[in-house]
Each structure stands twice: as C-alpha cells, then as structure tokens.
Amino acid sequence: MKETNYVDATRERFEAWLLKANLPTGAKLPSERELCELLDTKRMTLRQVLIELEVESRIFRKNRSGWFITPNRFVYNPKSLSSLNAEAIRQGRQAFWEYLEQGLAQSLPSEVEKVFSLEENTYKVTGWCGLDKHKVFYHESYIDADFAPDFINKLKNKSFAKVWEEEYGQALTIKKLSFKPVNMPEFACKELGVAPNSFGILIEKHRATSDKKVVQIDLEYWRFESVELVIDDL
C-alpha cells in the first residue's frame, strides 16, 4: 500500500482553501496555528507547504508579522532613467521609501572600491523602497562627494535623480549594470523584515555623467518575489 504523502495532501487542502477564500494580493493569511486547525495538519507539515509556496513566489512572510499573499511583481527596467515613483504610478502602484544612513563612508564594499577610493570623499546613503505597503528592496548608494559636495543635505526626501538634475544640472546615465542572485546580508534582511540569509537579487548600477565619469554606485537588494526584471530598450 502506498504511503500517504502528508505534505502533498496538506498542500491540496491548502490550495482548495486559497481558491475558496479568494484573498486579494497583499492580504494576510491566518496564523500558522489557525491554518493547522483549518487544514487538520501538523505545524511541521504546514511549514513545508508554506515554504514550497514561498519558493514559487505565491506567498511571502514578514518576520513577526506572518504570511501574506504575494502582490503582483513590479516590472522593473533597471536601465530606465525614470524614477521608481514615476514607474510605480504608471503601473498603478504606490511607491514609498525612507532614507536611513546618510554620511561619509568609513569603508567601501569591494564593488565600490574598484571605482571610488577611500582617499577621496564618498557619501553613503542607505534606505529601503516599498510598493503598496510592502518593502521590496534595500539599497546602498555611494556618491562622489567631491563632485557633488553637500549632496546628502540636499537629498532630504527627494529622489536621487531629482537632486542630480535640480542641484547639479546632471542627467546621469547608466554606465554599468549587473545582476546577481545572493543570500541577502543581515542588514538588508532586517530592514525588509525577512528571515536572515533570505534569497534575493542584487542589482549593481554605476551612474555616470555625460563624459562617462561614474559619480554614483547603487547596490539594490530586491526581494526575489517582488520584481520582474525587463530591459526593453536594447
């Protein structure tokens, strides 16, 4: 007699419940204890099902907050020069963000040190960006402080692009763009509210002036389920 696969059976019941509940994107699921009662299953079996659905990007979790239905992925063109806010509006989404650390960098990641030197002044700005009440990526931005003195005092809650344009007369272009799957660092996981070492996508962007001088480097750690990367201006 074939042994019952409890995980598959629990997943079938869970899928049926999801279909009947018809929860909207971003909605919070019942607690794991409530789901165990609903599905008549054990906590460990339920957790395996939840992790399977998380890997498929159908649900996501926030530390100390529970499980949620994954919102539609944000279609993101990393080469686009328009702001995240403008692109979010175009897709019917609402962007929000917060800057955390702003000051002179005391050390530089290896990706940045290849371009900027600690012998020169470099600003470091960290923060996160979200869509529809859901944080989607953490970023570190490094800026040539000698080229753009007082940049961090002009930033306030403006976008980087607006500060470059309005304060320095610069419309930056992207000189280098790279993508890499990573286990996100602890500080990024903490700000995004995900478990330590969660999987994500690192997008590295080097922004340059019209004469190809790199003056800003961005390291963006995106939640894997949040974004669809599309470059459509080749």
Side-chain angles (χ1 to χ4, degrees):
M1 184 176 178
K2 184 178 180 181
E3 184 179 351
T4 303
N5 187 320
Y6 293 106
V7 174
D8 288 348
T10 299
R11 174 158 180 165
E12 286 180 9
R13 293 197 295 272
F14 191 29
E15 296 271 15
W17 180 85
L18 284 173
L19 184 63
K20 183 178 179 180
N22 193 28
L23 297 174
T25 60
K28 184 177 179 179
L29 295 175
S31 69
E32 292 188 12
R33 179 183 59 79
E34 292 172 309
L35 286 173
C36 285
E37 293 177 358
L38 279 169
L39 304 173
D40 188 24
T41 192
K42 296 180 179 179
R43 189 72 167 266
M44 289 301 296
T45 305
L46 173 68
R47 180 57 66 87
Q48 286 183 258
V49 172
L50 293 173
I51 290 173
E52 284 182 5
L53 293 173
E54 182 183 30
V55 169
E56 295 172 13
S57 299
R58 294 179 56 189
I59 61 175
F60 71 94
R61 56 183 158 177
K62 295 180 183 177
N63 281 350
R64 297 180 296 278
S65 296
W67 293 88
F68 297 79
I69 302 295
T70 302
N72 294 331
R73 280 181 167 152
F74 180 63
V75 180
Y76 180 43
N77 180 358
K79 287 187 66 178
S80 173
L81 300 179
S82 65
S83 68
L84 176 74
N85 188 50
E87 186 55 35
I89 292 172
R90 192 181 73 81
Q91 296 183 35
R93 311 287 291 272
Q94 183 176 3
F96 63 107
W97 61 88
E98 181 179 340
Y99 296 125
L100 301 171
E101 175 187 354
Q102 299 181 38
L104 286 173
Q106 301 303 309
S107 61
L108 299 176
S110 58
E111 301 94 331
V112 178
E113 202 169 14
K114 295 173 184 176
V115 180
F116 294 161
S117 169
L118 270 180
E119 297 175 359
E120 304 168 341
N121 291 319
T122 303
Y123 289 131
K124 177 182 179 180
V125 179
T126 68
W128 51 260
C129 292
L131 294 165
D132 306 327
K133 300 180 181 180
H134 172 42
K135 293 181 182 180
V136 293
F137 75 88
Y138 168 88
H139 71 86
E140 293 183 355
S141 295
Y142 296 86
I143 297 153
D144 186 334
D146 294 326
F147 185 87
D150 209 32
F151 187 96
I152 55 175
N153 292 323
K154 300 177 187 296
L155 186 58
K156 298 180 180 178
N157 202 37
K158 296 180 181 178
S159 69
F160 287 90
K162 183 167 286 190
V163 174
W164 279 115
E165 183 178 353
E166 294 180 354
E167 303 291 342
Y168 301 95
Q170 297 288 334
L172 303 184
T173 58
I174 294 178
K175 185 176 180 181
K176 177 183 175 181
L177 181 64
S178 67
F179 312 91
K180 182 166 60 175
V182 295
N183 291 105
M184 293 190 291
E186 181 179 355
F187 47 81
C189 292
K190 181 179 178 181
E191 290 300 332
L192 296 179
V194 299
N197 293 315
S198 289
F199 184 67
I201 301 174
L202 170 60
I203 300 177
E204 179 183 342
K205 289 188 279 191
H206 294 203
R207 301 180 186 269
T209 62
S210 57
D211 59 357
K212 307 300 182 184
K213 175 179 173 59
V214 175
V215 293
Q216 179 177 329
I217 297 176
D218 300 323
L219 304 177
E220 298 176 355
Y221 293 92
W222 283 79
R223 293 185 62 138
F224 178 73
E225 82 283 347
S226 299
V227 64
E228 178 180 343
L229 300 173
V230 177
I231 299 178
D232 56 9
D233 58 350
L234 297 176

